[in-house]
Amino acid sequence: MKLVLALLLAFGTVNIGTTGIPAIQKILIHPPIQKSTKDTVSIVMLDHPKTKQEIKQLLAPYKDIKLRRVYHKAINGFSIQGPPSAIARLEAQTRNRQQTQIQHVSPVTEYRVETEESVKIIGGEEARGFFSKKNERLTGRGVTVGVIDTGVDYTHPDLARNYAGGHDLVDNDQDPMETLTQGRATIHGTHVAGIIAANGKIKGVAPEAKIVAYRALGPGGGGTTEQVLAAIDQAIRDKVDIMNLSLGNSINGPDLPISQALDRAVENGIVAVAASGNSGPNVWTVGSPGTSAKAISVGASTPTMEIPQLLIEGMQNPLRVQPMEGSGNWALDRTLPIVDGGIGQPSELKNVQGKIVLMKRGELTFSEKAKNALEAGAKAVVVANNLKGTFIGNLDAPAAIPIGSITKSEGEFLRKKLKNTSLTARLKVNEEIDRLADFSSRGPVTDTWDIKPDLVAPGVAINSTIPGGYLSLQGTSMAAPHVAGACALIKQAHPEWTPEQIKAALMNTAKPLAKEPGQPSATSPAETTRKPIKIDPIGGINKGKTQLTPGPYYRTYEQGAGRIQVDDAIQTESLVMPGSIRFGKFSSLKNVHKAQLKIENISDSPKRYTFDIPQHIDGLEWRFPLAFTLEPKETKEITVELAVDPQIFKGKIHDGFLTLHAGSQSIHIPFLYVLEEPGYPRIMGFDFAEGDEPGTYQYEVYVPGGAEEFGIALFNPDSYRFVGFLDTSTDVKKGLIRKAFKAEDLPYEGTYRAKVFARKAGKEDFIETMISIYKN
């Protein structure tokens, strides 16, 4: 017998409560979470470098703590292992400033991989027609890119000539080959390397750049802070020009060791590129190392794609279907009936011949669903998500019939309709480009309110190298190497440029992306306002201006400066640094916020610079410098001020783009100002469903401010008696928690009242819901 799980919302809604303010008639009381006594690993960051001997002396009073690794380049610090109680004593002394040389103690977390048309879209083909100062075409020649990932198949014919060695930080040797162990094999690093520098059957963005591989993620694509730090440390020693990290976790904070290590790499002259994460579309979901202030954090946009829409009889709006990778061609030439195919088991597909089958996600792989539908004679498959939002699926093997995905709510709507009436649909195919991928993580960064990601690049349906061949994948993991390759082209064209200048060139010339009409915006943390974006496609201060309304544009903390245009970045004649402005949060001590910008004329002729005056908003007053002229190679530092009257200005968050005209060039500078930090709960967005693999189940929940204790407690729904914990954690960092279970890890058959709670600073917030477990 198999396990089937259904998530039923209590009273039809999710109830959020605070201890002492019951959300229902009875209080759900659970026992205290028992803290683990097993040894754990932590990273200790120091104010100043220390030798290994000095570190041993520092740890001498803590007999149970063992020294593991010492870092010299990525951070000033080391890793330790010991009982949580001993590490807590060390951390307590740090807080009490008895150990002033210790700056921070951070638990080791897990990092995982974040999973020819795209090169053309970002201007890569145009850039190959340009020449460097050595009169060589721009192909990345002479530039070294470090790929910190799962390793690289350096025997692949498209990568062999570009491979320049590497290091394995998992097995601690010099062979960074992808994991080949059956069932745990990896392909991710090879795919990333191909996007950057494939030079064979397919061409990467910079096909003659050198790749140095750092295997920091082992079997199954997982690794720890220790290993990733060691890889960054080694890459700094190796003096690579660019490093790419298409990996991450869901912790949204600027002070994690990996994020700080990337800041250090940039200070050492290395351009650091990091994926923002795949936890979108909600705000606050950007994760480390995409939270690094000095690195280039990259979100995912779409290349040119043909997107099917189903025009369903009786429905006013068409139903957008996201094709899965490996799907058959969506070319339905007639109106077809839609039927409910359950989960996609053969027994549920008795009457689907010649029809479109609606299926629930979970229990079976997407390939199994497609295979079962094909054998039953179906014409197409539409899979409804089992968690909130949309998703993009991958098939294990190409499907002979089209298969795509829709949202959970769309699937529920169709199933409800099908219970009462028959439905038919005809197909319409639209061409889409430059949409922000739903999975792309959004900012801003907690605490600092930095705008992240900085940029977006194509990250959907990207074909690249894998061991033994080629495969199309999607994720911010695929977007980041587009930017790393673009940086290699810019570095070849301008070898004297610093990482800050390369980042600025890409941000200053990026294309702000607009939403499709009617497309919903990502969940906003609070009431917001924003100004229109002014785009000047022709150039000149008084010529060709087009006023664009703000509504269709993605927020700055969703897309940063926009989608990269590497050809424009290479040819830019002015640089504005930094590429985005964070005015911070309102303080009662001041109502005037200042931002310092450095303007650099890198051309051979004088240029006049002027700011557009933003649209007026009550309670906000902008102050810009008067028009000024810079001579060739001249630099000027300016101040932009934003005065706020909180009695008049009613928006909680204000963002948009300032426009600086630099001669005939228009530079758009994203900005963000926060009047009041959202009063978000300690826990939100809980969802629980079957996994994509048979016998697996998963939950996800967002903890915006972190938690000292987190748990999912199960209770008898009638007596409210505590039954047990489904999961518990302590010292949880802020961000998304996502965990998968096997069937044997779940409780017995039955219906449970679940209390999902997070406790911090003596306050507990919780969500109540009903979880039912049935055996069929």
Side-chain angles (χ1 to χ4, degrees), residues 434-457:
D434 278 342
R435 280 184 60 164
L436 197 60
D438 283 337
F439 60 75
S440 185
S441 291
R442 274 70 162 171
V445 178
T446 55
D447 297 333
T448 64
W449 287 96
D450 275 343
I451 295 174
K452 293 289 177 175
D454 297 297
L455 297 158
V456 296

mmCIF file of all heavy atoms in Angstrom, residues 434-457:
data_model
loop_
_atom_site.group_PDB
_atom_site.id
_atom_site.type_symbol
_atom_site.label_atom_id
_atom_site.label_comp_id
_atom_site.label_asym_id
_atom_site.label_seq_id
_atom_site.Cartn_x
_atom_site.Cartn_y
_atom_site.Cartn_z
ATOM 1 N N ASP A 434 12.164 37.952 -22.284
ATOM 2 C CA ASP A 434 12.503 38.892 -21.210
ATOM 3 C C ASP A 434 11.431 38.995 -20.126
ATOM 4 O O ASP A 434 11.137 40.068 -19.623
ATOM 5 C CB ASP A 434 12.786 40.287 -21.789
ATOM 6 C CG ASP A 434 14.206 40.424 -22.319
ATOM 7 O OD1 ASP A 434 15.051 39.599 -21.939
ATOM 8 O OD2 ASP A 434 14.463 41.342 -23.102
ATOM 9 N N ARG A 435 10.858 37.857 -19.762
ATOM 10 C CA ARG A 435 10.007 37.832 -18.576
ATOM 11 C C ARG A 435 10.836 37.335 -17.410
ATOM 12 O O ARG A 435 11.723 36.494 -17.566
ATOM 13 C CB ARG A 435 8.801 36.921 -18.786
ATOM 14 C CG ARG A 435 7.696 37.576 -19.588
ATOM 15 C CD ARG A 435 6.479 36.700 -19.704
ATOM 16 N NE ARG A 435 5.908 36.359 -18.407
ATOM 17 C CZ ARG A 435 4.667 35.861 -18.267
ATOM 18 N NH1 ARG A 435 3.911 35.675 -19.323
ATOM 19 N NH2 ARG A 435 4.201 35.560 -17.084
ATOM 20 N N LEU A 436 10.561 37.829 -16.239
ATOM 21 C CA LEU A 436 11.255 37.359 -15.048
ATOM 22 C C LEU A 436 10.717 35.986 -14.686
ATOM 23 O O LEU A 436 9.506 35.787 -14.581
ATOM 24 C CB LEU A 436 11.035 38.342 -13.903
ATOM 25 C CG LEU A 436 11.985 38.238 -12.708
ATOM 26 C CD1 LEU A 436 13.423 38.456 -13.138
ATOM 27 C CD2 LEU A 436 11.593 39.250 -11.644
ATOM 28 N N ALA A 437 11.615 35.018 -14.531
ATOM 29 C CA ALA A 437 11.187 33.663 -14.185
ATOM 30 C C ALA A 437 10.552 33.660 -12.798
ATOM 31 O O ALA A 437 11.075 34.268 -11.862
ATOM 32 C CB ALA A 437 12.383 32.708 -14.224
ATOM 33 N N ASP A 438 9.433 32.956 -12.648
ATOM 34 C CA ASP A 438 8.745 32.928 -11.359
ATOM 35 C C ASP A 438 9.646 32.387 -10.250
ATOM 36 O O ASP A 438 9.555 32.825 -9.103
ATOM 37 C CB ASP A 438 7.480 32.060 -11.456
ATOM 38 C CG ASP A 438 6.344 32.781 -12.153
ATOM 39 O OD1 ASP A 438 6.354 34.022 -12.165
ATOM 40 O OD2 ASP A 438 5.451 32.106 -12.699
ATOM 41 N N PHE A 439 10.500 31.403 -10.579
ATOM 42 C CA PHE A 439 11.329 30.805 -9.543
ATOM 43 C C PHE A 439 12.473 31.713 -9.095
ATOM 44 O O PHE A 439 13.096 31.469 -8.063
ATOM 45 C CB PHE A 439 11.912 29.467 -10.020
ATOM 46 C CG PHE A 439 12.777 29.570 -11.252
ATOM 47 C CD1 PHE A 439 14.058 30.083 -11.186
ATOM 48 C CD2 PHE A 439 12.308 29.135 -12.481
ATOM 49 C CE1 PHE A 439 14.855 30.176 -12.318
ATOM 50 C CE2 PHE A 439 13.096 29.228 -13.617
ATOM 51 C CZ PHE A 439 14.380 29.746 -13.538
ATOM 52 N N SER A 440 12.767 32.758 -9.854
ATOM 53 C CA SER A 440 13.910 33.622 -9.546
ATOM 54 C C SER A 440 13.695 34.336 -8.210
ATOM 55 O O SER A 440 12.695 35.019 -8.003
ATOM 56 C CB SER A 440 14.093 34.649 -10.665
ATOM 57 O OG SER A 440 15.251 35.419 -10.461
ATOM 58 N N SER A 441 14.635 34.196 -7.296
ATOM 59 C CA SER A 441 14.502 34.784 -5.961
ATOM 60 C C SER A 441 14.529 36.305 -6.024
ATOM 61 O O SER A 441 15.259 36.893 -6.819
ATOM 62 C CB SER A 441 15.621 34.289 -5.047
ATOM 63 O OG SER A 441 15.469 32.918 -4.751
ATOM 64 N N ARG A 442 13.744 36.900 -5.167
ATOM 65 C CA ARG A 442 13.660 38.351 -5.089
ATOM 66 C C ARG A 442 14.312 38.855 -3.804
ATOM 67 O O ARG A 442 14.436 38.134 -2.831
ATOM 68 C CB ARG A 442 12.187 38.797 -5.077
ATOM 69 C CG ARG A 442 11.528 38.981 -6.448
ATOM 70 C CD ARG A 442 11.291 37.706 -7.211
ATOM 71 N NE ARG A 442 10.305 37.911 -8.284
ATOM 72 C CZ ARG A 442 10.022 37.033 -9.207
ATOM 73 N NH1 ARG A 442 10.624 35.865 -9.246
ATOM 74 N NH2 ARG A 442 9.122 37.294 -10.134
ATOM 75 N N GLY A 443 14.668 40.136 -3.821
ATOM 76 C CA GLY A 443 15.162 40.789 -2.628
ATOM 77 C C GLY A 443 14.032 41.506 -1.939
ATOM 78 O O GLY A 443 12.865 41.151 -2.128
ATOM 79 N N PRO A 444 14.333 42.553 -1.193
ATOM 80 C CA PRO A 444 15.693 43.009 -0.910
ATOM 81 C C PRO A 444 16.363 42.161 0.164
ATOM 82 O O PRO A 444 15.759 41.225 0.683
ATOM 83 C CB PRO A 444 15.458 44.445 -0.428
ATOM 84 C CG PRO A 444 14.073 44.433 0.145
ATOM 85 C CD PRO A 444 13.300 43.441 -0.653
ATOM 86 N N VAL A 445 17.618 42.513 0.481
ATOM 87 C CA VAL A 445 18.363 41.815 1.525
ATOM 88 C C VAL A 445 17.873 42.317 2.879
ATOM 89 O O VAL A 445 17.727 43.522 3.090
ATOM 90 C CB VAL A 445 19.875 42.055 1.371
ATOM 91 C CG1 VAL A 445 20.652 41.360 2.482
ATOM 92 C CG2 VAL A 445 20.353 41.567 0.005
ATOM 93 N N THR A 446 17.608 41.398 3.788
ATOM 94 C CA THR A 446 17.174 41.805 5.112
ATOM 95 C C THR A 446 18.297 42.557 5.819
ATOM 96 O O THR A 446 19.476 42.363 5.534
ATOM 97 C CB THR A 446 16.779 40.583 5.957
ATOM 98 O OG1 THR A 446 17.880 39.670 5.975
ATOM 99 C CG2 THR A 446 15.560 39.894 5.389
ATOM 100 N N ASP A 447 17.931 43.415 6.737
ATOM 101 C CA ASP A 447 18.848 44.231 7.555
ATOM 102 C C ASP A 447 19.426 45.409 6.776
ATOM 103 O O ASP A 447 19.307 46.553 7.188
ATOM 104 C CB ASP A 447 19.986 43.397 8.161
ATOM 105 C CG ASP A 447 19.485 42.336 9.110
ATOM 106 O OD1 ASP A 447 18.396 42.535 9.691
ATOM 107 O OD2 ASP A 447 20.155 41.307 9.265
ATOM 108 N N THR A 448 20.080 45.135 5.618
ATOM 109 C CA THR A 448 20.725 46.231 4.878
ATOM 110 C C THR A 448 19.785 46.864 3.859
ATOM 111 O O THR A 448 20.019 47.982 3.424
ATOM 112 C CB THR A 448 21.957 45.718 4.113
ATOM 113 O OG1 THR A 448 21.544 44.769 3.116
ATOM 114 C CG2 THR A 448 22.955 45.056 5.056
ATOM 115 N N TRP A 449 18.760 46.148 3.418
ATOM 116 C CA TRP A 449 17.849 46.588 2.364
ATOM 117 C C TRP A 449 18.579 46.850 1.049
ATOM 118 O O TRP A 449 18.188 47.689 0.256
ATOM 119 C CB TRP A 449 17.048 47.828 2.802
ATOM 120 C CG TRP A 449 16.007 47.464 3.803
ATOM 121 C CD1 TRP A 449 16.109 47.542 5.162
ATOM 122 C CD2 TRP A 449 14.732 46.899 3.547
ATOM 123 N NE1 TRP A 449 14.977 47.073 5.759
ATOM 124 C CE2 TRP A 449 14.105 46.681 4.791
ATOM 125 C CE3 TRP A 449 14.046 46.579 2.387
ATOM 126 C CZ2 TRP A 449 12.836 46.140 4.908
ATOM 127 C CZ3 TRP A 449 12.774 46.046 2.506
ATOM 128 C CH2 TRP A 449 12.184 45.833 3.757
ATOM 129 N N ASP A 450 19.661 46.106 0.804
ATOM 130 C CA ASP A 450 20.334 46.163 -0.496
ATOM 131 C C ASP A 450 19.397 45.654 -1.582
ATOM 132 O O ASP A 450 18.608 44.721 -1.364
ATOM 133 C CB ASP A 450 21.591 45.293 -0.486
ATOM 134 C CG ASP A 450 22.797 46.018 0.079
ATOM 135 O OD1 ASP A 450 22.756 47.256 0.160
ATOM 136 O OD2 ASP A 450 23.765 45.344 0.450
ATOM 137 N N ILE A 451 19.493 46.272 -2.768
ATOM 138 C CA ILE A 451 18.755 45.775 -3.935
ATOM 139 C C ILE A 451 19.488 44.557 -4.474
ATOM 140 O O ILE A 451 20.621 44.647 -4.939
ATOM 141 C CB ILE A 451 18.652 46.866 -5.019
ATOM 142 C CG1 ILE A 451 17.819 48.049 -4.531
ATOM 143 C CG2 ILE A 451 18.058 46.285 -6.291
ATOM 144 C CD1 ILE A 451 17.785 49.217 -5.489
ATOM 145 N N LYS A 452 18.858 43.414 -4.374
ATOM 146 C CA LYS A 452 19.379 42.176 -4.945
ATOM 147 C C LYS A 452 18.212 41.420 -5.553
ATOM 148 O O LYS A 452 17.122 41.412 -4.971
ATOM 149 C CB LYS A 452 20.064 41.313 -3.873
ATOM 150 C CG LYS A 452 21.344 41.897 -3.299
ATOM 151 C CD LYS A 452 22.484 41.861 -4.298
ATOM 152 C CE LYS A 452 23.740 42.510 -3.724
ATOM 153 N NZ LYS A 452 24.897 42.380 -4.614
ATOM 154 N N PRO A 453 18.378 40.771 -6.708
ATOM 155 C CA PRO A 453 19.616 40.655 -7.462
ATOM 156 C C PRO A 453 20.033 41.991 -8.078
ATOM 157 O O PRO A 453 19.246 42.929 -8.135
ATOM 158 C CB PRO A 453 19.258 39.650 -8.564
ATOM 159 C CG PRO A 453 17.781 39.835 -8.760
ATOM 160 C CD PRO A 453 17.230 40.129 -7.401
ATOM 161 N N ASP A 454 21.296 42.056 -8.541
ATOM 162 C CA ASP A 454 21.791 43.251 -9.222
ATOM 163 C C ASP A 454 21.342 43.289 -10.677
ATOM 164 O O ASP A 454 21.107 44.369 -11.232
ATOM 165 C CB ASP A 454 23.326 43.281 -9.182
ATOM 166 C CG ASP A 454 23.864 43.375 -7.769
ATOM 167 O OD1 ASP A 454 23.594 44.383 -7.104
ATOM 168 O OD2 ASP A 454 24.536 42.427 -7.326
ATOM 169 N N LEU A 455 21.227 42.105 -11.283
ATOM 170 C CA LEU A 455 20.933 41.966 -12.710
ATOM 171 C C LEU A 455 20.144 40.692 -12.937
ATOM 172 O O LEU A 455 20.077 39.829 -12.049
ATOM 173 C CB LEU A 455 22.242 41.857 -13.514
ATOM 174 C CG LEU A 455 23.212 43.026 -13.510
ATOM 175 C CD1 LEU A 455 24.600 42.526 -13.873
ATOM 176 C CD2 LEU A 455 22.758 44.087 -14.494
ATOM 177 N N VAL A 456 19.603 40.553 -14.125
ATOM 178 C CA VAL A 456 19.051 39.267 -14.534
ATOM 179 C C VAL A 456 19.647 38.888 -15.882
ATOM 180 O O VAL A 456 20.132 39.738 -16.637
ATOM 181 C CB VAL A 456 17.512 39.287 -14.615
ATOM 182 C CG1 VAL A 456 16.906 39.525 -13.249
ATOM 183 C CG2 VAL A 456 17.007 40.317 -15.615
ATOM 184 N N ALA A 457 19.613 37.588 -16.157
ATOM 185 C CA ALA A 457 20.107 37.048 -17.427
ATOM 186 C C ALA A 457 19.276 35.811 -17.741
ATOM 187 O O ALA A 457 18.627 35.247 -16.846
ATOM 188 C CB ALA A 457 21.600 36.707 -17.328
#
